[in-house]
Structure formats: C-alpha cells, structure tokens
Amino acid sequence: MYIYGASGHGKVIAEIAEESGAVITGFIDLDINKNEVLNYEVIHTIPTQKIEVIIAIGNNAVRKKLVNENDNFEYDKLIHPRANVSKRTTIGEGSVVMAGVSINADVVIGNHCIINTNASVDHDCKINNFVHISPNVALAGNVEIGEGAHIGIGTCVIQGIKIGKWCTIGAGTVVIKDVPDGVTLVGNPGRIIK
Ligand SMILES: CC(C)(COP(=O)(O)OP(=O)(O)OC[C@H]1O[C@@H](n2cnc3c(N)ncnc32)[C@H](O)[C@@H]1OP(=O)(O)O)[C@@H](O)C(=O)NCCC(=O)NCCS
C-alpha cells in the first residue's frame, strides 16, 4: 500500500501497517523536498492506476478532498495489533485505529476516520466519516460525532451527547451538552468560542 502524506502522522501510520503485516510500497507527497520517510521512498506524482492507499493527513477536510479527487484509490483499514477493539464494532474503509485505543461493543466508525493513540470509545458510539478523535479522548456510551469533526487531545464527552458536523473541540474540553454543526468549543464545561 501507499501512504499518502510524508509527515509525522504518516510515520505513525506506517508503523501500524508494519505491525499489521501490510506491505508498504512507499509514500506519496506532493512536496518535492520530502524524499524519504522511515527508509521508504516518497514519490511526488500520484499514480493513475488503481492503488491501495491510506490517507495519512490529519486535516479532515483535506482527507475528504483527496478521497473525492482520486477515484483510482482503493482503501483498506488499519488497526494496531495492540488496540482493544470489540468484535461487535464496525470500522469503515480508510480508517486508522492507533495503539492503545479501546473500542467497546456496537460502535460504528465511518470511513477515513482517525482514532488516535489511547483514545477510548465506549459502547454504541457512532463516529461519522472523516472524524479525527485525538489521543486520550474519552467518549462515553452512545455519543455521536458528526462528519469531519475534530475532537482535540484529551477531550471528555459524557454519555448520549451529539457533536455536530465539522466541529472543532479544543484540547482538554469537557463536553456536557450537544454541540451544533461547525462550531469551535473549548473549556470545562465546554463553551462555544467560534
Ligand atoms: C481549540 C483550538 C483549535 C483553538 O485554536 P484557535 O482558533 O487558534 O484559537 P486561539 O488560540 O486564538 O484561542 C481563542 C481563545 O480560546 C482559548 N482556548 C483555545 N484553545 C483552548 C482550549 N483547548 N481550552 C481552553 N481554552 C482554549 C484561548 O485561550 C483564547 O482565549 P482568549 O480569547 O480568552 O484569549 C486549539 O486551541 C486547540 O485546542 N486545538 C486542539 C489541538 C489538538 O488536539 N491537537 C491534537 C492533534 S493529534
């Protein structure tokens, strides 16, 4: 597989691929100054034939744009062997689950999501496409996260909360009420700042 994005996030994803036994062909990155990552070659043009890709870009909108623009890309998912994922969880294509993550029963995770290091996703949560759950986030049961939302590092969300599409939740936020689409929320308790 190719890893799209020769960044720090790409390195983490490359190591998950290695630990999962996937074969990495190389990285794709349009930045011509990036030529090698973790001893893998970086190519600067996007192949036109069908290729298997994981998009290793943390920005949710950019990840969505790349998916829409490249219909020759095919996607699997990557789950770190030391993540604890319920057998009753559904995880969509292009999504990545990092080391130390716990995902409990009947969780549904969409396509091209990032469930970052040590995040905890409790029973019956629904995480829509292109969401990024940062490291050490804790989602209680029955939480729903709308498409493209970024949940900042260390955020806590109490049970049953709905977070809208394309929201940004700041680092360390405590979310105790539903959050409308497109806002930025920070603090304890979470308050809307944008
Ligand atoms: C929420 C966030 C996106 C806001 O960034 P921004 O739009 O540049 O906002 P600013 O830094 O201008 O801050 C605006 C105000 O919100 C406050 N604020 C920003 N982030 C905050 C946070 N996480 N908790 C509490 N207050 C916060 C600032 O202190 C500032 O307050 P003021 O107006 O009283 O001075 C950013 O601070 C953040 O928390 N990002 C999360 C990063 C992350 O989790 N990365 C992990 C990647 S894996």
Side-chain angles (χ1 to χ4, degrees):
M1 67 166 56
Y2 282 96
I3 297 173
Y4 196 121
S7 60
H9 182 57
K11 284 183 192 172
V12 177
I13 288 183
E15 288 199 332
I16 300 173
E18 287 174 343
E19 296 251 359
S20 313
V23 176
I24 300 171
T25 313
F27 282 75
I28 303 171
D29 199 302
L30 302 185
D31 182 348
I32 55 165
N33 297 310
K34 294 180 174 175
N35 292 308
E36 176 264 307
V37 175
L38 303 180
N39 294 323
Y40 295 104
E41 184 190 6
V42 181
I43 60 169
H44 306 298
T45 49
I46 301 173
T48 51
Q49 74 274 25
K50 286 221 174 297
I51 51 170
E52 193 184 331
V53 177
I54 286 280
I55 301 184
I57 306 269
N59 182 299
N60 298 334
V62 174
R63 222 164 45 256
K64 182 172 185 179
K65 183 165 178 282
L66 288 169
V67 168
N68 289 339
E69 284 175 354
N70 294 283
D71 54 12
N72 60 318
F73 288 1
E74 294 177 339
Y75 306 103
D76 203 346
K77 56 194 167 198
L78 281 177
I79 299 170
H80 196 287
R82 287 182 293 288
N84 181 20
V85 179
S86 162
K87 64 185 178 190
R88 297 180 177 84
T89 291
T90 308
I91 300 177
E93 65 178 27
S95 289
V96 184
V97 175
M98 296 190 174
V101 164
S102 289
I103 303 178
N104 283 340
D106 287 338
V107 167
V108 177
I109 294 174
N111 299 332
H112 304 284
C113 293
I114 302 164
I115 314 297
N116 220 316
T117 311
N118 289 329
S120 168
V121 180
D122 222 307
H123 63 87
D124 300 296
C125 284
K126 181 160 192 242
I127 295 176
N128 287 286
N129 299 342
F130 302 105
V131 164
H132 181 174
I133 307 285
S134 296
N136 284 313
V137 166
L139 305 182
N142 286 299
V143 167
E144 179 168 353
I145 314 277
E147 181 185 300
H150 178 207
I151 313 301
I153 190 164
T155 291
C156 294
V157 184
I158 67 167
Q159 69 280 0
I161 291 291
K162 281 190 173 41
I163 294 180
K165 296 175 188 171
W166 301 99
C167 286
T168 301
I169 310 296
T173 301
V174 178
V175 186
I176 59 169
K177 290 183 181 158
D178 288 354
V179 181
D181 292 348
V183 303
T184 300
L185 190 86
V186 300
N188 178 7
R191 67 181 197 286
I192 294 174
I193 57 164
K194 283 178 194 164

